[in-house]
Amino acid sequence: MRPDCIIRTNRRSMSLSVSKDGKVIVRAPRKLDINKIFEFVNEKESWINKHLNAIKNTSLVNHDIKEYNVFLFLGNKYKLRQVAGIKQIEFCSNEIIYPTNWDKEILIAKMKKKYRQLASSILNDRIEYFAKLMQLDYNTFAVRDYKARWGCCSKKLDIVINYKAIMLPHVLIDYILIHELSHIIEFNHSSSFYKIIESVMPDWKKNRKKLKDYDFLLGLF
């Protein structure tokens, strides 16, 4: 087995990771012999295959979502149906209906805009709820498009959440919001930081693990 990418830095040891799109990445010391790197990868082959199979299974299970044949909203799946006589996207029971003159490209662009609008409203109300519950003050709140993370909190206490979080189940949205608000007290990922999260969400570990199942959403749109 050969890695897809070797990143050489001034580090002393090697590390291995598998990206969301299934690329095997090795980080290694600059002058380390290439054969040593290959040996390292071969030793970790079972670990690599385990992660590659998990990515493959996730891709198969969520194929319709990744192909924009089905859309998620607050953890629920919505099928698509074109309807004559309407001009905008409408949520109807377990369906999203949209105009008959829209092609797939227009639908995707309109859904992205719709998601951002919904995220701005729903997530803003939710973060205000948790800020009050945790007795915390943040500076500003905004939703943005990130490709590799669900949110962030700056040292100026500006909190930004990925608008794609609106596709997640309620409890996972709450975990993300609580996580970022907790950085107001602890600007790190120490044990003290996670104790803050636990005081608000005792089962945060389960939710953090579950959130990884939805990481594929970060690559959409």
Side-chain angles (χ1 to χ4, degrees):
M1 178 176 285
R2 293 289 183 264
D4 298 292
C5 178
I6 298 174
I7 301 173
R8 292 184 180 270
T9 64
N10 292 327
R11 62 188 298 133
R12 294 182 178 180
S13 60
M14 287 184 284
S15 70
L16 181 68
S17 62
V18 178
S19 66
K20 294 181 181 69
D21 57 354
K23 292 190 184 329
V24 178
I25 302 169
V26 177
R27 288 173 172 81
R30 292 189 188 281
K31 296 182 180 180
L32 186 66
D33 186 281
I34 189 67
N35 290 318
K36 293 287 186 183
I37 296 176
F38 291 158
E39 288 176 11
F40 175 71
V41 172
N42 287 332
E43 289 172 0
K44 303 293 184 180
E45 187 171 356
S46 61
W47 181 89
I48 293 170
N49 286 333
K50 177 183 176 181
H51 284 266
L52 290 176
N53 287 334
I55 291 170
K56 183 179 179 181
N57 289 338
T58 298
S59 182
L60 290 173
V61 170
N62 298 294
H63 176 76
D64 283 339
I65 297 171
K66 295 178 74 172
E67 293 298 317
Y68 306 101
N69 297 321
V70 171
F71 285 85
L72 285 178
F73 176 58
L74 298 178
N76 297 312
K77 291 183 179 181
Y78 288 80
K79 297 179 180 180
L80 298 171
R81 181 163 60 93
Q82 290 183 295
V83 176
I86 62 172
K87 296 182 178 180
Q88 296 295 330
I89 290 168
E90 295 179 22
F91 285 81
C92 181
S93 185
N94 62 341
E95 293 181 323
I96 291 174
I97 59 176
Y98 66 101
T100 53
N101 61 334
W102 287 7
D103 60 17
K104 193 72 164 286
E105 187 175 342
I106 293 175
L107 172 64
I108 293 171
K110 294 287 188 179
M111 276 302 300
K112 180 175 182 177
K113 183 178 180 181
K114 186 70 172 179
Y115 275 143
R116 294 190 72 130
Q117 291 172 345
L118 291 167
S120 293
S121 174
I122 295 173
L123 301 188
N124 184 70
D125 290 344
R126 200 63 181 155
I127 198 168
E128 286 184 4
Y129 167 80
F130 281 113
K132 184 177 181 180
L133 178 69
M134 298 169 73
Q135 299 182 4
L136 297 173
D137 290 320
Y138 56 90
N139 184 27
T140 64
F141 173 75
V143 297
R144 291 181 187 167
D145 185 0
Y146 291 130
K147 298 297 183 184
R149 59 183 176 179
W150 289 108
C152 67
C153 176
S154 74
K155 290 184 178 180
K156 293 182 179 180
L157 308 187
D158 297 318
I159 294 179
V160 181
I161 302 297
N162 196 327
Y163 81 91
K164 297 168 191 173
I166 203 65
M167 293 186 267
L168 300 170
H170 283 287
V171 68
L172 301 186
I173 294 174
D174 289 350
Y175 168 73
I176 294 169
L177 296 176
I178 294 167
H179 182 111
E180 300 308 335
L181 283 168
S182 297
H183 279 309
I184 294 174
I185 304 173
E186 290 283 342
F187 203 73
N188 52 49
H189 288 100
S190 63
S191 58
S192 297
F193 168 76
Y194 287 109
K195 284 180 181 177
I196 297 167
I197 295 178
E198 189 169 6
S199 69
V200 185
M201 179 177 277
D203 57 349
W204 68 271
K205 288 183 180 179
K206 179 186 72 175
N207 294 325
R208 182 179 66 172
K209 183 178 180 181
K210 185 64 178 175
L211 183 59
K212 292 184 182 299
D213 293 337
Y214 290 91
D215 277 352
F216 74 94
L217 295 175
L218 295 169
L220 297 184
F221 299 97

